[in-house]
Structures are given as C-alpha cells and as structure tokens.
Amino acid sequence: MAMAASISNSTNITYSRRYHHHLTSSIKPSQLPFQFKIFKSTSSSIQNPSFRVSASMSIEATQKAPQVSFLVRKESGVLHFVKYHGLGNDFILVDNRDSVEPKVTPDQAVKLCDRNFGVGADGVIFAMPGINGTDYTMRIFNSDGSEPEMCGNGVRCFARFIADLDDTQGKQSFTIHTGAGLIVPEIQDDGKVKVDMGQPVLRALDVPTKLPANKDQAVVKAGLEIDGATWNVTCVSMGNPHCVTFSTSECKNLLVDDLNLSEIGPKFEHHEVFPARTNTEFVQVYSRSHLKMRVWERGAGATLACGTGACAVVVAAVLEGLSERNCTVDLPGGPLEIEWREEDNHIYMTGPAEISLSGGSGLKVATWESCWCDVVCLTQQFLRVENPQRGPLISLENTRLCVLIHKSII
Ligand SMILES: N[C@@H](CCC[C@H](N)C(=O)O)C(=O)O
C-alpha cells in the first residue's frame, strides 16, 4: 500500500513523502499505531527553521500498544514534554517531579511558546513535588515568561498529565499546591476534569486593583476610562487577577465579537489601576445561565479559553445581578461549566483537557538544537487515529505543525 504524508508548518511550506508498505490483512485505520517524528533543525539560526521528516509505521492488527509512559524516553540534554490543551488554551507540560527548580527558564519558556520559531503554546507548566502535604505542586510560565499564580485550563491539563504518567495507579483526583493555594482537580468518568478552584478573592487590595471599592471593599461595576470610553468593571482574583466587563456607559450588553481585542486588551492589562497587570474578560449575557466571553490574558494575549477567567466571570455576573450561580460560559475554544457554590463559597469548573502531542527539545540558552514531536493525533477530516490505551485522540487544529495523512489513499 502506498501512503502519502505531508507535513506543513505555519508558513505553509509543505513537505511531502511517499511511504510504501504492504498490508498483510485488512486492518481498520483505527487499529494502526502511527508514530511520526518531526526533526526541526536550526543549528545556526532560529530564524530559518528547516524540517527533516521521518515517519515510521508498524502494522500489527492484534498487537496492543505498550503500557509505557510517553515520558519514559529520556535522553540526556533533551527536554521531554507533552502538549495538552483545554479548549484550545494550550500548554507544554514538563515532568519536573524530581526537582523543585523548573527545568526551563522564563527565557526558554518564551522561546518554547513561540508559535513560529518554537513548539507553540500559551504557557509552560511544571509538575513538581508537592509541598504542605499536597500530591504535587504546579508552576507555570506564561508565553511572555512571567509567572502567574494559577491557571484553570492548565490545572485540568495537569491532572490529565499526571494521570497519563504510569505511576498514579488509577488515581483520578489530586491535591495540587499552586500560587493560589490548594486546588483539587478530579477526572470524571466522561474524561472531563472537574476542579475545585477554591474561593474567589474580592478585596480590592488583594486582587490587586487601585479602583475605588464599595463598602465591602470589593470593586463591582466601577467605571474605568480607556480611550475616552467608560467601561463598567468588576474585579475578581482567582489567585490571579481578573477584570470583568459586561458593559460600557454607552452599551448595556457588550457584543463581544465586535471587539478588537488586540487593540483594547493591552490597555486593560497595563492600566495603572492594576499594579500586577490583569487578565480581562469581555462578556456578553445570553441568559441568566449562559454567558459568552472573550479574554485578553496577562502575559499571553488573546487565548481561546481561560479557566480562571470563566470562574471570575460567573462571580462578577452574580455580583452584578446578571446571572445565577450555575452557568455555561462559552469561550472561543468551547464551553466551560462553572458553579459558584453558595454552601462553601467555592467555585467548581468542569471542562475538557486533551493531549495534543509529545515531543522533546534540546534546550540551549539561545537556540534550539533539535526539536521532535511524536504526532499522536490527526485531524478528523483526514484520519482519526485511536490509541487503544488512551482512547480517541484529538485534533491538531490549534497547533502549527500538522501531519496530514490523507484518508483517501489509505
Ligand atoms: N489561561 C489560564 C490563565 C493563565 C494565567 C494568566 N495568563 C495570568 O497571568 O494570570 C487559565 O485557564 O486560567
């Protein structure tokens, strides 16, 4: 059988190879274990990456995939990582359980996260030894190298990452120490992750914001002048700071699709009333249980989803009298279910977290020595590959390196 594979990068350069293989029996595509490695060779400069492509394919209809972690392959000098995403908010996950120092510096994180010259991600997350009796510690660098206290989508990815390692013995719930305190994610039977995100912080000084607070010391529907417009904002910390807006003095219910996020977002992020900068959520109210938001993240810009942001949005909506405590929040990457529970004042967030690829990168101070990725999933419109050990694999829609195996020629 002849199989063609093409590999493209974000600059639309396409590399083609033809592979010949003999099938001895009739095998469904879903039974084929594929492994592609993409070698990105940039020894002298990261400005002109070239790709060396190799592919291997083994076909044994009855053979089960080996029960080993994809992190077992450890070569010295190579950073092994796995990429996960929560609704398109994507992260490079690093197994850092043997050290309390992140294996990647903030500068290296910036390079890794670069979508053109690196792997591409909204942040790098480290799974580290737990402290204060917790199972693990999670630390994260944003794509600009800054370190936030917490990340909601990231913590769902973290839970899946930990569960995908071989040594958790089926455990599905973990206690995680973060900059926002104790966070407890639990992987549900349907594969989604429900996270106890703790309590929101409303005290202006703790958010932190210099905006005028009400008698409860919270900032609810305060006016914020930006470029001659007055935005009504409510400030909430989920460990990290959020500024939530549903309206301006001119417009009672924002039409979020009309906003030019890259123009307005930075003006919120760097506004003097937010001494630690801020994440900003622009929200449209569909009903008292259905909200739509777009986000401009501190240190990462416009992302497809923000878990802490969705939690902050529901808190702000309740405080402004716009919604109930249980809401579906639509984000560009998909919906999250958020509950701000009255009994314990905790917020519970439920949503997906999925693996996109695993890889390794030789990290040097200024350049990438090599970078490889095992592509473990392919877009549905071409070929859906299912890994018998990990279930259906997800699409690479949001990554810049895509391996496309054309279904028509299988
Ligand atoms: N996307 C995250 C938030 C990541 C941190 C944020 N950029 C910050 O600096 O606070 C989420 O899902 O919560």
Side-chain angles (χ1 to χ4, degrees), residues 57-72:
M57 172 178 151
S58 63
I59 299 171
E60 276 187 46
T62 52
Q63 191 190 331
K64 279 193 149 194
Q67 294 258 25
V68 289
S69 162
F70 35 75
L71 284 168
V72 164

Side-chain angles (χ1 to χ4, degrees), residues 52-344:
R52 190 155 55 82
V53 180
S54 82
S56 65
M57 172 178 151
S58 63
I59 299 171
E60 276 187 46
T62 52
Q63 191 190 331
K64 279 193 149 194
Q67 294 258 25
V68 289
S69 162
F70 35 75
L71 284 168
V72 164
R73 292 165 301 195
K74 293 216 192 315
E75 299 142 48
S76 61
V78 174
L79 174 84
H80 287 261
F81 61 83
V82 188
K83 244 190 97 177
Y84 286 76
H85 75 96
L87 299 175
N89 193 193
D90 55 348
F91 305 99
I92 295 163
L93 275 286
V94 178
D95 184 5
N96 215 115
R97 291 173 300 163
D98 55 355
S99 163
V100 293
E101 280 306 315
K103 291 183 174 159
V104 168
T105 65
D107 283 350
Q108 289 170 333
V110 172
K111 293 192 173 83
L112 274 173
C113 290
D114 189 296
R115 295 197 184 275
N116 297 106
F117 300 116
V119 176
D122 292 325
V124 182
I125 292 178
F126 307 92
M128 307 178 90
I131 55 171
N132 302 337
T134 56
D135 296 327
Y136 303 98
T137 296
M138 178 178 98
R139 283 182 65 184
I140 169 173
F141 292 144
N142 282 319
S143 54
D144 75 348
S146 61
E147 180 169 5
E149 304 80 353
M150 218 332 241
C151 176
N153 289 319
V155 87
R156 294 201 315 279
C157 294
F158 188 102
R160 290 296 298 263
F161 178 58
I162 290 298
D164 285 342
L165 298 173
D166 289 326
D167 48 9
T168 58
Q169 288 158 356
K171 203 172 164 206
Q172 298 292 292
S173 180
F174 312 99
T175 52
I176 300 176
H177 174 78
T178 72
L182 174 69
I183 299 289
V184 187
E186 180 174 1
I187 302 172
Q188 302 183 144
D189 291 344
D190 62 3
K192 286 189 177 166
V193 185
K194 181 169 188 165
V195 188
D196 178 350
M197 299 281 285
Q199 307 192 27
V201 172
L202 301 175
R203 193 168 165 260
L205 277 177
D206 297 329
V207 170
T209 178
K210 295 178 185 164
L211 279 166
N214 62 20
K215 62 177 175 17
D216 298 323
Q217 301 185 52
V219 174
V220 180
K221 221 174 168 182
L224 177 61
E225 301 286 327
I226 288 181
D227 279 354
T230 306
W231 297 77
N232 301 317
V233 305
T234 293
C235 297
V236 178
S237 169
M238 290 303 305
N240 57 347
H242 292 271
C243 167
V244 184
T245 179
F246 301 89
S247 60
T248 66
S249 54
E250 310 258 283
C251 170
K252 270 187 155 179
N253 190 5
L254 293 179
L255 298 174
V256 292
D257 286 337
D258 292 350
L259 296 170
N260 184 344
L261 229 54
S262 53
E263 192 187 318
I264 192 80
K267 294 180 178 162
F268 282 81
E269 179 181 356
H270 299 283
H271 200 288
E272 59 176 7
V273 296
F274 301 117
R277 299 196 278 156
T278 192
N279 299 285
T280 308
E281 288 77 30
F282 301 88
V283 194
Q284 187 169 342
V285 179
Y286 284 154
S287 75
R288 291 189 63 79
S289 60
H290 192 184
L291 311 168
K292 172 178 176 169
M293 68 173 253
R294 288 177 70 199
V295 61
W296 180 265
E297 282 196 36
R298 177 181 66 167
T303 58
L304 293 179
C306 178
T308 49
C311 296
V313 160
V314 173
V315 172
V318 171
L319 293 175
E320 291 200 26
L322 297 170
S323 83
E324 308 299 337
R325 285 170 168 264
N326 272 290
C327 286
T328 302
V329 181
D330 286 348
L331 302 110
L336 284 173
E337 298 302 325
I338 309 292
E339 174 191 4
W340 183 15
R341 204 172 282 172
E342 205 153 9
E343 298 79 60
D344 60 6

